[in-house]
Each structure stands twice: as structure tokens, then as C-alpha cells.
Amino acid sequence: VQLQASGGGLVQPGGSLRLTCAASGTILSINVMGWYRQTPGKQRELVAAITGADRTRYLDSVKGRFTISRENAKNTVYLQMNSLKPEDTAVYYCNAERIRVPGTQIVESWGQGTQVTVSS
């Protein structure tokens, strides 16, 4: 199973970006998909996560600005980021937990990071 993230870039404060992460491989289901972010010298933190039943959770600082969604049929998760702030600048990583594949379950898989820079 591989996760491919895309959609990062440079945006001005107040702008928007949409991150996309698609999981590929022979996948039966994915329990939780999410987005984390990391800046130099800091621990990776959970930004948003969504279950297969569309239950969501968000980092407090992004509530009301970011929206996570997923398309189960495509094994894809999205992160719509609005009203971006300079403090949102980070490398964003997608994550998938408890991935059911034929014959077994993969505990966790990570995508490559995508850089988001919010600056004027």
C-alpha cells in the first residue's frame, strides 16, 4: 500500500489550498485517514482525521478553517484549508490506519510529505 500526497504550495495569508492523498494497492478498507504536519524542531502533530463512517477530529487551531473529507471508493482523503495563516506553514503528511488488504491488516502507512508555505 502506498499513499501519494499532492496539493501543497505557496499561498498568501488568507488564501486556500486543497491537499489530496490517494492510497494505492489492493485495499479492502481503511479505518482512519488523516493529515499530520511537522515543522523543524517540533513533533509531528495531528491536523485532522476522518473515519470510514465520516467521524472527524481536528486540531483546535484549525477548527473552522480546515475541512477533511474522504472518498472511500477511491481510498482518497482531502484536506481543504481556508483562511491560511503563516503558522500553518509546515510539511503535511497523510496517514492511513488499519488498512485491510487480502489476508491481513496493515497497521499504518504514511505518505510522503508535501510542503505548505503561507507567506506574503
Side-chain angles (χ1 to χ4, degrees):
V1 173
Q2 290 189 325
L3 273 62
Q4 180 70 42
S6 61
L10 172 65
V11 64
Q12 292 187 340
S16 298
L17 282 174
R18 188 192 198 206
L19 304 183
T20 299
C21 177
S24 61
T26 305
I27 299 170
L28 301 177
S29 64
I30 301 175
N31 191 348
V32 182
M33 301 187 80
W35 291 94
Y36 289 70
R37 68 186 183 189
Q38 189 170 25
T39 54
K42 290 191 175 182
Q43 283 191 327
R44 193 172 294 187
E45 63 180 357
L46 175 66
V47 177
I50 184 168
T51 70
D54 287 341
R55 291 172 61 183
T56 59
R57 61 180 293 194
Y58 293 93
L59 182 68
D60 283 348
S61 62
V62 308
K63 286 180 180 177
R65 300 188 296 122
F66 292 10
T67 303
I68 190 168
S69 61
R70 63 188 282 178
E71 286 189 73
N72 292 330
K74 296 182 178 181
N75 295 314
T76 299
V77 63
Y78 307 96
L79 185 67
Q80 178 66 43
M81 304 185 293
N82 299 328
S83 302
L84 282 160
K85 303 176 180 180
E87 51 263 43
D88 295 317
T89 296
V91 178
Y92 284 69
Y93 298 89
C94 63
N95 170 272
E97 296 179 7
R98 297 193 291 281
I99 307 161
R100 285 186 59 234
V101 297
T104 190
Q105 177 174 269
I106 299 170
V107 174
E108 187 174 55
S109 183
W110 289 91
Q112 90 289 4
T114 184
Q115 177 71 46
V116 172
T117 302
V118 185
S119 175
S120 55

